[in-house]
Amino acid sequence: MYSEQKYRNRMRIYIAHSSNFDFRTELYIPIKESTLGTEHTFLLPHDASDALFSSRELFANGCDLVIAEVSFPSTGMGIELGWANAAGVPIVCVYKSGTTPSSALASVTDTKLEYANATELLEQISKAIQKHHT
């Protein structure tokens, strides 16, 4: 019974990002090694492979939140954020201190959270999850 409740409260969170940085080390590993990684289901698009895939169906079929790492602009990520927005999935952008997120992000979210290191990144993700968790 306890484990059923635990899994019922899990959010499905898609992590969008550019491929122009070491996302495995700077994004995936901190998430997977944190308690957040055990409390929620993180959909890490390039965890197992760099192969291209379409996330459009994912947004329409049960994604609760999108966390977009927007420090590095990416046309593909912009397309994904448009799909998520069209499907009504909340989008939260996080970006590294010293970078400037695109002003175009205002069309899909008003939530942009700055971080300086992995600890702050996880804190910002945790705040975003708490805000959107039902």
Side-chain angles (χ1 to χ4, degrees):
M1 183 73 161
Y2 170 76
S3 62
E4 286 179 19
Q5 181 67 28
K6 178 180 173 183
Y7 288 110
R8 202 171 327 150
N9 290 327
R10 290 176 77 100
M11 290 184 75
R12 289 177 41 96
I13 303 165
Y14 183 80
I15 301 295
H17 57 80
S18 168
S19 59
N20 293 330
F21 76 112
D22 186 2
F23 55 85
R24 285 186 177 88
T25 301
E26 295 185 37
L27 195 57
Y28 289 9
I29 290 173
I31 290 170
K32 291 190 317 187
E33 290 181 351
S34 74
T35 57
L36 292 173
T38 60
E39 295 170 350
H40 301 283
T41 301
F42 284 87
L43 307 165
L44 308 171
H46 301 290
D47 195 25
S49 167
D50 287 330
L52 294 176
F53 70 98
S54 175
S55 53
R56 178 187 266 180
E57 286 185 34
L58 172 73
F59 300 134
N61 296 315
C63 182
D64 300 307
L65 180 66
V66 173
I67 303 285
E69 204 306 340
V70 297
S71 300
F72 306 91
S74 166
T75 300
M77 179 174 44
I79 292 168
E80 285 184 325
L81 296 182
W83 288 338
N85 185 54
V89 178
I91 299 167
V92 173
C93 295
V94 294
Y95 64 97
K96 280 187 173 185
S97 300
T99 65
T100 304
S102 170
S103 60
L105 293 169
S107 65
V108 294
T109 186
D110 59 358
T111 307
K112 293 179 227 121
L113 307 171
E114 184 176 3
Y115 70 93
N117 54 45
T119 300
E120 287 184 12
L121 171 66
L122 294 172
E123 288 171 1
Q124 295 292 33
I125 291 173
S126 181
K127 286 179 192 175
I129 291 170
Q130 288 173 9
K131 179 180 177 184
H132 293 282
H133 195 264
T134 55

